[in-house]
Amino acid sequence: MRFIQCVLILLLAGLINSCGLVKTVYNNSLEALGWWLDGYFDFTQTQKSILNSALHRLHAWHRQNQLPSYILTLQDLQKMVIKEHISANEACEKMDGIRENFSELQLESIPIIIEIAPLLSDEQLQHFQAKLEKRALKWKSEWWQETPEEQLEVRLDKIESFAEKVYGTLSESQLAMLKQNLAISSIKPALAYAEILRRNEDVYQIVTALHNQSLSTENKSQLVKQGFKRLK
């Protein structure tokens, strides 16, 4: 799994380098995130207004505190992409920094979660639960094949398709390298699916618990922090 994550980081770096999308994507990230969240909760107009203001504050914090380091990381990845020979391990060295920044962003988002969750209606919570179940079933249909050979072929096809959109047709040696590393990457769809179900139940329980008016802000914050920790 770590190999796949590292390869995808390289592919994304190549895509950004070839299309110059960084500024456009970043500036439109608020609208994209708001749209994505609305798909899970079906917000009312009042809730959307509150969420939009909160996301703008989070975006301003990120622009000031994390954007410079992300730019440096992307520049390093882009330099790696244009090298003639590069291993996934080289890209993986960047992952720890990315994870650390993302953990800080999660912590900064906690006040937003605490503010929005109590505003959700019972119908919205039911919508959220149904959306999580639908997402899990979609993952299972796409990634959990009956045999290891089928699993390998599906993963190879997906990575190959993405890579060729960025770099063009891959050579036989490149495909062989991908297949070899995927074969030893210890992908276990049954465990992955069980983890998806665990996470879905965890996040649903957290959002539901935040409706409890007797919980203090500090207790709510700790509840969300522990949830983030369980995602690692």
Side-chain angles (χ1 to χ4, degrees):
M1 186 64 70
R2 182 174 173 82
F3 169 77
I4 296 175
Q5 292 173 336
C6 296
V7 168
L8 290 177
I9 287 176
L10 284 177
L11 294 178
L12 287 171
L15 180 63
I16 292 170
N17 184 55
S18 61
C19 300
L21 295 176
V22 176
K23 185 175 181 179
T24 300
V25 170
Y26 188 78
N27 288 338
N28 288 283
S29 59
L30 289 181
E31 289 76 10
L33 180 56
W35 174 83
W36 181 77
L37 289 172
D38 187 48
Y40 280 92
F41 295 103
D42 193 21
F43 294 122
T44 65
Q45 286 303 316
T46 299
Q47 291 168 342
K48 287 180 180 178
S49 178
I50 295 172
L51 177 64
N52 186 55
S53 297
L55 290 179
H56 272 85
R57 294 194 298 270
L58 181 64
H59 194 259
W61 173 88
H62 184 272
R63 185 186 296 274
Q64 179 177 352
N65 294 280
Q66 290 195 330
L67 183 58
S69 66
Y70 273 107
I71 291 175
L72 291 175
T73 298
L74 282 175
Q75 289 173 342
D76 288 343
L77 287 171
Q78 288 165 353
K79 291 175 183 177
M80 294 166 66
V81 166
I82 63 175
K83 291 169 59 177
E84 291 186 8
H85 302 287
I86 182 171
S87 68
N89 286 335
E90 291 180 84
C92 288
E93 293 178 0
K94 299 295 179 181
M95 288 186 63
D96 289 340
I98 293 173
R99 286 198 183 104
E100 183 177 345
N101 281 340
F102 188 66
S103 293
E104 291 177 2
L105 182 61
Q106 287 178 326
L107 294 178
E108 193 68 22
S109 72
I110 289 176
I112 300 176
I113 299 171
I114 293 175
E115 180 180 15
I116 296 296
L119 304 179
L120 299 172
S121 66
D122 291 341
E123 290 76 14
Q124 287 174 312
L125 290 175
Q126 292 170 4
H127 180 82
F128 178 48
Q129 188 176 38
K131 190 75 173 182
L132 292 175
E133 292 172 353
K134 182 178 180 180
R135 184 186 69 172
L137 290 174
K138 183 176 185 294
W139 184 94
K140 185 178 181 181
S141 68
E142 292 181 353
W143 293 98
W144 190 352
Q145 289 70 43
E146 293 185 0
T147 67
E149 291 76 19
E150 290 176 318
Q151 293 165 15
L152 177 60
E153 289 303 320
V154 166
R155 282 157 178 73
L156 181 61
D157 286 344
K158 289 181 181 294
I159 292 181
E160 179 185 355
S161 176
F162 187 28
E164 290 188 341
K165 289 178 182 178
V166 179
Y167 300 114
T169 303
L170 300 181
S171 67
E172 290 298 323
S173 61
Q174 290 171 325
L175 288 174
M177 183 273 293
L178 281 175
K179 190 169 185 177
Q180 179 182 6
N181 282 278
L182 285 172
I184 61 176
S185 60
S186 65
I187 298 171
K188 298 178 180 179
L191 293 179
Y193 185 63
E195 176 62 13
I196 288 172
L197 295 180
R198 185 202 66 77
R199 291 185 178 194
N200 285 354
E201 179 64 19
D202 196 26
V203 70
Y204 178 75
Q205 292 299 330
I206 289 172
V207 173
T208 302
L210 292 176
H211 273 250
N212 188 343
Q213 298 298 324
S214 65
L215 285 180
S216 67
T217 300
E218 178 59 28
N219 286 338
K220 290 181 178 180
S221 178
Q222 288 300 321
L223 186 67
V224 179
K225 284 181 181 178
Q226 292 302 316
F228 281 142
K229 286 182 179 180
R230 290 190 293 271
L231 288 175
K232 295 180 180 179

